[in-house]
Amino acid sequence: MSTSQGLRAWLLTEEPTSRRQARMAAWYKGWLTLRSNTLAMLGLMVLVVLLLAAIFAPLLATHDPFAQDLGQRLLAPGEGGHLLGTDSLGRDIYSRLLYGARISIYIVALVVMVAPVVGLIVGTVAGYAGGWIDVLLMRMTDIFLAFPRLILALAFVAALGAGIENAVLAISLTAWPPYARIARAETLTIRNSDYIHAIRLQGAGPLRIVTQHIWPLCISSLVIRVTLDMAGIILTAAGLGFLGLGAQPPSPEWGAMISEGRKYILDSWWVATIPGIAIFSISLAFNLLGDGLRDVLDPKEGQS
Amino acid sequence: MSAIDIRNLTVWFGHGADRADAVRDVSFEVADGESFGLVGESGSGKSTILRAIAGLVPTWSGQMTVAGETLGPKRSKSFYRKVQMVFQDPYASLHPRHTVDRVLSEAMQLHGVRDIDTRIGRLLDDVGLGPGFRFRYPHQLSGGQRQRVAIARALACDPAIVLLDEPTSALDVSVQAEILNLLTDLRQEHKLTYVMVSHDLGVVGHLCERIGVMQEGRFVEVLSVEAMRRQQAEAPYTRHLLESSINSIR
């Protein structure tokens, strides 16, 4: 107990004595703000549960997610040892849901690694450089913004074949322009501030100014936007799966599972409903967390 | 040799029909170790002169020779080792996500200073902040403390000339006096040349030897502080300024 209190005091001190302590203290204060937001913590908890479910899917699953048993098809939840019932091919829905979490996380992770990064680079470079570079980059952004997501995905799938990777590529390519716009707008307000002038007067070049001084201030609003968009990304991926353009059967992707259950929706409601609830709850969780992060990360608030 | 020699400086904003001249045909000289004040009401172009010297306003014509360097459209790295600037608003001049340590060490890194660790300690001492302030973020500092950090950043590379853009106008009166005294001490210690912009004649009279009075982008008059104290201004505008500042004290 005394060590945990010592740690708390160390983190909350007004006079940090090292770079590491100052950084940890800033993180800890952010965590305290986030923790005071009940809904955001609820969202975070749901996401942690999802992450754990994905990691420990082989341990938690009661059945092989791919094993078919036509004798046990369309069992209601609870029947025959199937916690959430079985689908039209007799596969255990609970186990498929767990493995499906892996696919959802995989999709989200891939999109998050591509879209915001591209958007951040394009937006900050356009905003800081100005002039014809700005015009060129932003018109490019407008062109990408004009592509409807699903139509582009269809084109990609037609060209490269159906699959998660191509769906992710299509989503990423259409998801970055909003980030570029946010980053550019932030950069425009930051670039003429005195602290950017001050670092220019120290002889810093544009690369250092953009990466070390402008990025840290843009990233917070991007992180908020990404968490809020996460729900949309999952829904788009599920939508592609539903249309048969994303993950291919027999992969337990949630959108594809709903699509398969569609035929039996009147007699066996659980086949489509349960993956639907899963998509709904993690989308909601991401939205709640995003709202909480906005309170923590907004640089203009300056936690005092 | 004069530290700063400005000849026929004109600074404008905008192009073509929108062009507005902020500074018109201004010439002045500041000797080595001198402290020169620029006074005038807001919009008279005094801050713009500083910004043009510092290289923050690219649209200017005329001749500027600063610290032996004739200035072109771009400033060299060695220029920034000799000339630094302190900004008006201490709440806007520090990066909100960087600690004091980060601000100072980055400035030193950029100027290729060695043994940054010990120098930061000494620098913080110089500006009257203890080592306890080293790892704080700007939001954990008061306005006066922030301005001290900004001054420390300007001094990080041991410049010869410091441009002060109303360094005290955003602060409380008591803190103003502290910062002014700090600037006076630092000037003696480091043999600095100051160019200071202010709309407050009292502040300028405290720190400067000579004063350029500006109105609508032009110099109305250049006079010594003694002459100002004796109220021996020649131009009617300067007299008007002096009278109003004396009346405001009473």
Side-chain angles (χ1 to χ4, degrees):
Chain A
M1 192 65 211
S2 67
T3 52
S4 81
Q5 268 181 356
L7 182 66
R8 202 182 137 79
W10 184 74
L11 284 169
L12 288 178
T13 174
E14 273 295 297
E15 296 189 358
T17 51
S18 69
R19 270 159 228 195
R20 204 170 57 104
Q21 188 185 358
R23 198 173 312 129
M24 306 265 283
W27 280 100
Y28 183 64
K29 276 174 198 154
W31 165 245
L32 287 184
T33 320
L34 186 66
R35 214 176 53 178
S36 64
N37 186 334
T38 325
L39 281 176
M41 286 313 285
L42 190 75
L44 186 65
M45 249 143 58
V46 171
L47 293 175
V48 168
V49 167
L50 175 83
L51 199 65
L52 291 177
I55 292 169
F56 297 110
L59 297 175
L60 294 169
T62 49
H63 296 73
D64 180 346
F66 301 108
Q68 305 180 6
D69 183 355
L70 290 177
Q72 305 242 316
R73 67 193 293 262
L74 296 174
L75 290 181
E79 265 178 56
H82 295 285
L83 205 58
L84 297 175
T86 58
D87 66 4
S88 59
L89 295 173
R91 294 173 295 194
D92 182 53
I93 292 181
Y94 168 67
S95 307
R96 284 176 72 73
L97 214 55
L98 289 177
Y99 280 91
R102 291 188 160 185
I103 297 176
S104 290
I105 289 176
Y106 176 66
I107 291 172
V108 166
L110 277 182
V111 174
V112 165
M113 273 190 285
V114 180
V117 177
V118 174
L120 181 67
I121 293 172
V122 171
T124 48
V125 168
Y128 189 72
W132 64 268
I133 298 178
D134 183 26
V135 173
L136 186 78
L137 288 175
M138 288 332 280
R139 291 302 80 78
M140 232 170 72
T141 310
D142 288 344
I143 291 171
F144 273 96
L145 208 55
F147 279 115
R149 224 175 248 205
L150 279 171
I151 306 291
L152 190 68
L154 277 169
F156 261 93
V157 170
L160 303 169
I164 300 179
E165 280 79 10
N166 295 338
V168 165
L169 203 59
I171 295 172
S172 305
L173 273 178
T174 46
W176 68 264
Y179 302 123
R181 286 214 170 154
I182 294 174
R184 176 171 174 272
E186 291 267 333
T187 310
L188 288 181
T189 61
I190 297 166
R191 63 176 284 196
N192 282 326
S193 61
D194 279 349
Y195 49 86
I196 299 297
H197 288 152
I199 194 69
R200 269 172 68 193
L201 293 191
Q202 304 291 347
L207 185 69
R208 174 184 279 268
I209 293 176
V210 168
T211 56
Q212 312 227 337
H213 293 258
I214 293 180
W215 280 10
L217 293 174
C218 292
I219 279 174
S220 44
S221 52
L222 281 192
V223 166
I224 295 160
R225 181 68 200 253
V226 168
T227 17
L228 291 174
D229 279 357
M230 219 71 102
I233 291 166
I234 289 170
L235 289 176
T236 312
L240 286 173
F242 182 81
L243 291 176
L245 301 172
Q248 293 302 300
S251 119
E253 204 269 327
W254 293 347
M257 282 167 76
I258 297 182
S259 163
E260 284 164 31
R262 189 183 39 158
K263 284 170 263 176
Y264 314 98
I265 201 155
L266 291 180
D267 317 315
S268 317
W269 56 268
W270 58 90
V271 182
T273 309
I274 286 166
I277 292 173
I279 293 172
F280 164 77
S281 52
I282 71 164
S283 302
L284 184 67
F286 270 121
N287 274 335
L288 292 178
L289 181 67
D291 254 359
L293 281 179
R294 172 159 42 206
D295 298 341
V296 175
L297 290 175
D298 194 348
K300 283 140 213 138
E301 293 293 312
Q303 326 97 338
S304 50
Chain B
M1 191 194 92
S2 57
I4 296 175
D5 187 1
I6 308 275
R7 293 266 156 256
N8 310 104
L9 176 70
T10 298
V11 187
W12 65 90
F13 297 105
H15 304 282
D18 290 336
R19 175 171 151 154
D21 287 7
V23 177
R24 300 159 205 231
D25 203 21
V26 163
S27 303
F28 65 95
E29 258 179 76
V30 182
D32 244 343
E34 199 193 354
S35 180
F36 185 78
L38 288 169
V39 190
E41 49 196 284
S42 53
S44 61
K46 48 197 188 338
S47 291
T48 309
I49 292 181
L50 284 200
R51 286 174 177 264
I53 295 174
L56 295 174
V57 186
T59 48
W60 57 274
S61 67
Q63 228 185 10
M64 296 201 276
T65 311
V66 177
E69 207 173 307
T70 305
L71 302 181
K74 288 213 166 171
R75 302 288 179 273
S76 65
K77 226 169 170 177
S78 66
F79 173 80
Y80 288 130
R81 288 204 70 156
K82 290 181 280 190
V83 182
Q84 279 296 320
M85 182 159 170
V86 176
F87 292 89
Q88 175 175 8
D89 183 2
Y91 291 90
S93 68
L94 296 177
H95 195 286
R97 288 295 167 87
H98 288 177
T99 59
V100 174
D101 174 72
R102 167 90 197 260
V103 168
L104 298 181
S105 60
E106 188 170 27
M108 288 185 185
Q109 261 172 29
L110 283 165
H111 291 293
V113 175
R114 287 189 193 161
D115 51 275
I116 289 173
D117 249 14
T118 48
R119 289 224 26 193
I120 288 179
R122 208 179 328 142
L123 204 53
L124 285 176
D125 261 359
D126 270 2
V127 296
L129 293 173
F133 289 92
R134 181 162 169 185
F135 297 101
R136 290 203 198 176
Y137 286 93
H139 64 81
Q140 295 169 311
L141 301 173
S142 70
Q145 289 164 346
R146 287 178 195 224
Q147 199 58 300
R148 283 169 195 266
V149 174
I151 292 169
R153 171 176 61 195
L155 296 178
C157 57
D158 268 332
I161 301 169
V162 180
L163 309 171
L164 303 163
D165 185 3
E166 308 210 28
T168 58
S169 66
L171 304 171
D172 288 345
V173 177
S174 61
V175 183
Q176 272 189 19
E178 283 175 27
I179 297 289
L180 281 179
N181 288 335
L182 172 69
L183 287 169
T184 314
D185 294 346
L186 287 172
R187 186 180 156 211
Q188 278 184 345
E189 230 173 281
H190 298 263
K191 306 204 166 42
L192 298 169
T193 305
Y194 283 160
V195 179
M196 174 154 158
V197 161
S198 182
H199 59 257
D200 187 339
L201 285 172
V203 167
V204 172
H206 182 84
L207 204 66
C208 303
E209 284 103 49
R210 278 195 313 141
I211 296 170
V213 182
M214 289 190 73
Q215 186 186 21
E216 286 170 8
R218 285 198 178 81
F219 265 26
V220 176
E221 186 172 11
V222 177
L223 74 169
S224 67
V225 166
E226 274 88 70
M228 182 186 92
R229 292 229 173 87
R230 279 181 265 125
Q231 302 197 35
Q232 285 174 334
E234 277 166 19
Y237 179 71
T238 318
R239 268 188 230 143
H240 172 71
L241 266 187
L242 278 170
E243 269 165 30
S244 62
S245 89
I246 288 168
N247 286 339
S248 74
I249 293 168
R250 282 173 194 158

